[in-house]
């Protein structure tokens, strides 16, 4: 019988903390993949110089830490709303809907952090100086540059990470007897290919908009999409940097879910049933 996911057993504040730790740990592992993906999407060369590869890492850690915290908190919040006080396991559909809601909300802070990170990757600058310069040169409205495609991307990304991935893992583990980490790896790869392919155009538009805040080449969402289609063709526009992004998301899904499983019983040892299993559904 499947049991509750860790997110259902923790309070909202505990989910914020767990999400922050899982997000920062994940980004420390896979940041070079994000650097490569962003450069390929913008048509920029990929450097092997660690000083360039890891430029923007603090903003990325803050971004994924804060964004994952928001995703965990709101996903668990929507789970509680759906359950309405019932003591039962969520259905797969309910897990997906909860994760989708958490992703929509998380797109707002995620977009702002990624704006700073993309600007740092392109032009350097400190974590505090970059947003100050952006606002001074382009006005406060620059902070929402690329936000709508980011919200769309995060809604589907979170659905896959906190919905599709654990559902696949639980199904393979409970119904087919697959070992937990193997099932998680299969779930992570499957969900990452699905979410990366679906959201790739939105991610490319967002990255190009945030790399060109002066709108020299890329304007609003529709004009950016048209420019990318004219420059690269519809197929390349929809797949530019996709292989890097699949690798990025697969490692993120695997690491976030692994960090979630590993850290929950360590950070919250007083919680019941946190030590019973290493699977997503403990």
């Amino acid at each position: 019988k499947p049991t509750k996911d860790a997110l259902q057993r923790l309070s909202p504040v505990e989910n914020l903390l767990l999400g922050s730790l899982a997000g920062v740990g994940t980004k420390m592992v896979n940041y070079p993949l994000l650097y490569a993906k962003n450069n390929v999407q913008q048509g920029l060369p990929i450097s092997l110089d660690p000083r360039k590869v890891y430029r923007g890492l603090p903003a990325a850690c803050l971004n994924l830490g804060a964004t994952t915290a928001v995703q965990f908190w709101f996903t668990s919040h929507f789970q509680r709303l759906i359950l309405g006080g019932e003591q039962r396991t969520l259905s797969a559909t309910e897990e997906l809907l909860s994760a989708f809601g958490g992703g929509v909300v998380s797109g707002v802070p995620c977009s702002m952090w990624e704006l700073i990170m993309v600007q740092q990757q392109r032009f350097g600058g400190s974590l505090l100086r970059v947003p100050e310069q952006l606002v001074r040169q382009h006005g406060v409205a620059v902070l929402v540059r690329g936000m709508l495609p980011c919200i769309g991307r995060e809604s589907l990304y979170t659905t896959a990470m906190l919905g599709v991935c654990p559902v696949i893992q639980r199904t393979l583990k409970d119904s087919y007897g697959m070992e937990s980490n193997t099932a998680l790896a299969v779930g992570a790869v499957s969900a990452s290919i699905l979410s990366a392919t679906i959201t790739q155009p939105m991610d490319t538009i967002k990255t190009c908009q945030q790399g060109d805040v002066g709108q020299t080449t890329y304007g609003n969402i529709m004009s950016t999409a048209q420019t990318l289609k004219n420059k690269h063709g519809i197929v390349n526009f929809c797949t530019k940097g996709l292989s890097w992004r699949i690798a990025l998301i697969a490692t993120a899904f695997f690491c976030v879910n692994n960090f979630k499983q590993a850290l929950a019983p360590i950070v919250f040892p007083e919680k019941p049933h946190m030590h019973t299993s290493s699977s997503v559904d403990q």
Side-chain angles (χ1 to χ4, degrees), residues 103-201:
V104 169
V105 179
S106 72
V108 176
C110 177
S111 175
M112 294 183 182
W113 281 116
E114 290 196 3
L115 171 66
I116 297 170
M117 179 195 67
V118 170
Q119 285 291 303
Q120 282 186 302
Q121 287 178 340
R122 288 207 63 184
F123 308 112
S126 70
L127 185 61
L128 296 178
R129 186 170 176 76
V130 168
E132 186 272 329
Q133 284 182 325
L134 287 173
V135 171
R136 188 177 69 248
Q137 294 173 4
H138 303 283
V140 177
V142 74
L143 297 178
V144 299
R145 177 82 168 151
M147 185 172 286
L148 284 180
C150 187
I151 290 173
R153 183 198 70 185
E154 287 304 303
S155 64
L156 297 176
Y157 170 89
T158 310
T159 301
M161 178 176 68
L162 297 180
V164 176
C165 182
V167 166
I168 291 175
Q169 183 195 20
R170 182 175 63 243
T171 301
L172 292 175
K173 180 175 175 290
D174 294 344
S175 300
Y176 298 95
M178 187 175 289
E179 191 272 329
S180 180
N181 280 330
T182 303
L184 176 56
V186 173
V189 172
S190 302
S192 66
I193 292 174
L194 174 66
S195 67
T197 303
I198 293 174
T199 62
Q200 182 66 12

Side-chain angles (χ1 to χ4, degrees), residues 197-245:
T197 303
I198 293 174
T199 62
Q200 182 66 12
M202 288 183 280
D203 184 66
T204 300
I205 290 171
K206 180 211 71 72
T207 301
C208 291
Q209 282 190 306
Q210 292 183 334
D212 180 26
V213 292
Q215 303 189 40
T216 304
T217 303
Y218 304 108
N220 60 29
I221 294 174
M222 295 306 297
S223 67
T224 298
Q226 188 64 45
T227 298
L228 287 167
K229 189 185 78 169
N230 291 340
K231 286 177 66 176
H232 306 291
I234 188 65
V235 174
N236 285 336
F237 161 41
C238 293
T239 59
K240 197 171 177 62
L242 180 59
S243 59
W244 287 107
R245 190 152 177 262

Side-chain angles (χ1 to χ4, degrees), residues 7 72 93 95 105 121-122 189 201 254 267 271:
L7 298 187
F72 275 36
T93 300
E95 283 191 69
V105 179
Q121 287 178 340
R122 288 207 63 184
V189 172
F254 185 83
V267 180
K271 291 289 180 178

Side-chain angles (χ1 to χ4, degrees), residues 2 22 25 31 34 36 41 43 83 91 103 105 107 124 139 190 194 199 250 260:
Y31 185 72
L34 178 59
Q41 286 178 322
L83 290 172
S91 69
V105 179
S190 302
L194 174 66
T199 62
K260 179 182 76 172

Side-chain angles (χ1 to χ4, degrees), residues 2-143:
T3 54
K4 291 182 180 179
D5 178 77
L7 298 187
Q8 290 179 251
R9 301 195 199 104
L10 300 176
S11 72
V13 174
E14 289 168 338
N15 272 306
L16 277 174
L17 177 58
L18 182 62
S20 298
L21 294 173
V24 170
T26 296
K27 192 47 60 189
M28 295 292 290
V29 173
N30 69 1
Y31 185 72
L33 296 174
L34 178 59
Y35 160 79
K37 187 271 297 181
N38 283 347
N39 277 30
V40 168
Q41 286 178 322
Q42 297 174 86
L44 302 173
I46 296 176
S47 172
L48 297 180
D49 184 347
R51 293 171 299 179
K52 293 184 178 180
V53 171
Y54 286 95
R55 195 160 61 186
L57 177 61
C61 286
L62 287 172
N63 171 38
L64 195 60
T67 300
T68 308
V70 171
Q71 289 165 349
F72 275 36
W73 193 94
F74 277 97
T75 297
S76 67
H77 175 69
F78 290 128
Q79 287 176 347
R80 287 180 170 83
L81 286 179
I82 290 173
L83 290 172
E86 293 182 58
Q87 296 299 313
R88 63 176 178 83
T89 302
L90 289 164
S91 69
T93 300
E94 290 169 337
E95 283 191 69
L96 295 175
L97 288 174
S98 299
F100 180 84
V104 169
V105 179
S106 72
V108 176
C110 177
S111 175
M112 294 183 182
W113 281 116
E114 290 196 3
L115 171 66
I116 297 170
M117 179 195 67
V118 170
Q119 285 291 303
Q120 282 186 302
Q121 287 178 340
R122 288 207 63 184
F123 308 112
S126 70
L127 185 61
L128 296 178
R129 186 170 176 76
V130 168
E132 186 272 329
Q133 284 182 325
L134 287 173
V135 171
R136 188 177 69 248
Q137 294 173 4
H138 303 283
V140 177
V142 74
L143 297 178

